[in-house]
Every structure is written in structure tokens, then in C-alpha cells.
Amino acid sequence: MSSIKPKTIPAMPCITKRDQITPYITLDGSKIRELIHPTLHGNQAQSLAEASLPPGGRTQLHRHHRSEEIYHVLVGEGMMQWGEAHFPIGPGDSICIPPGTAHALENTGNTPLRLLCCCSPAYAHDDTELLS
Ligand code: MN
């Protein structure tokens, strides 16, 4: 049973359209589209974003103190740094990044690397510590 209970059932379904969302460059250097985020959409316990890295692009090594983050790769090829580990990632891969774990991602392919990023609790800049 969930400990998170909505105060009221929303009157309208929460649905967003990826292609209508303006991207921004986040702290770690990736291009982000916030698909669902509490500050924008009124949900409670998590955030879902799409990240895009150009060929040769690399995110800055960072960690989140509160959020557990899950990556799910949509398209492209990359090399993941996860703590002391380094491993390749590709379409269909899901990676769980526990709070406190340093992580970074490099696009090692010739096409944009696109992935979904889910944070619980929701992503917050002040929860993100840059490490390099
Ligand atoms: Mn992160």
C-alpha cells in the first residue's frame, strides 16, 4: 500500500506531448525535456524527462543526494560511468542509479543518444552535486 495519497483525484488526466515541450540545458550539460514534473504538472512523487546528447557529447559527472534515478535508453549508443564502473549502454537498457552514486554518460555513437530519466523524488537542481 502506498504511503502517498493524493488529496484529491485530479479532474483532468495529466498528459504531455514530447514534441510540444521546449528543451533546456540542465546542470550536467544534457538537453532535457521535462515530460512530467511536479512543479509543472502537479504530480507528487517523481519526474520523467527525456535527455538528449549529441555525438561526442558527455554529461558532467554528478550525483543526486535524495533522488533515485532510472535511465532508459531509447536510441543511440553510450558509455556510462556509474560509481567506479564503466559500461556501454544502448537501446532498451535500463539503469538504476541509487542516491549518492556518481554518474555520467558519453555519447559514443554517430547519432543523438536519447534516453528517459525518471527521478524519485522528482529531479531538483539543488539536489544535484557536480563532481567534475
Ligand atoms: Mn543524474
Side-chain angles (χ1 to χ4, degrees), residues 9 12 22 38 61 63 80 82 111-113 127 129:
I9 303 296
M12 299 285 288
T22 303
L61 187 68
R63 63 184 169 194
M80 176 99 195
W82 186 106
T111 58
L113 174 62
D127 182 45
E129 179 187 5

Side-chain angles (χ1 to χ4, degrees), residues 7-115:
K7 293 186 181 73
T8 58
I9 303 296
M12 299 285 288
C14 178
I15 177 168
T16 67
K17 307 284 189 184
R18 183 261 187 204
D19 290 344
Q20 297 173 3
I21 296 172
T22 303
Y24 70 96
I25 305 298
T26 194
L27 285 183
D28 73 5
S30 56
K31 186 165 74 176
I32 291 289
R33 284 180 169 87
E34 293 287 4
L35 303 175
I36 303 276
H37 192 285
T39 60
L40 298 170
H41 305 107
N43 63 301
Q44 295 184 59
Q46 61 187 308
S47 59
L48 181 65
E50 184 202 77
S52 180
L53 270 179
R58 191 184 200 288
T59 63
Q60 202 170 338
L61 187 68
H62 68 280
R63 63 184 169 194
H64 310 289
H65 291 278
R66 294 185 301 274
S67 289
E68 176 182 84
E69 184 165 26
I70 295 174
Y71 286 175
H72 179 79
V73 181
L74 298 172
V75 292
E77 297 170 25
M79 184 64 73
M80 176 99 195
Q81 180 177 349
W82 186 106
E84 299 297 313
H86 294 76
F87 49 90
I89 61 170
D93 291 353
S94 298
I95 306 98
C96 186
I97 306 160
T101 305
H103 55 286
L105 189 56
E106 180 178 5
N107 183 346
T108 53
N110 299 316
T111 58
L113 174 62
R114 291 200 296 131
L115 59 148

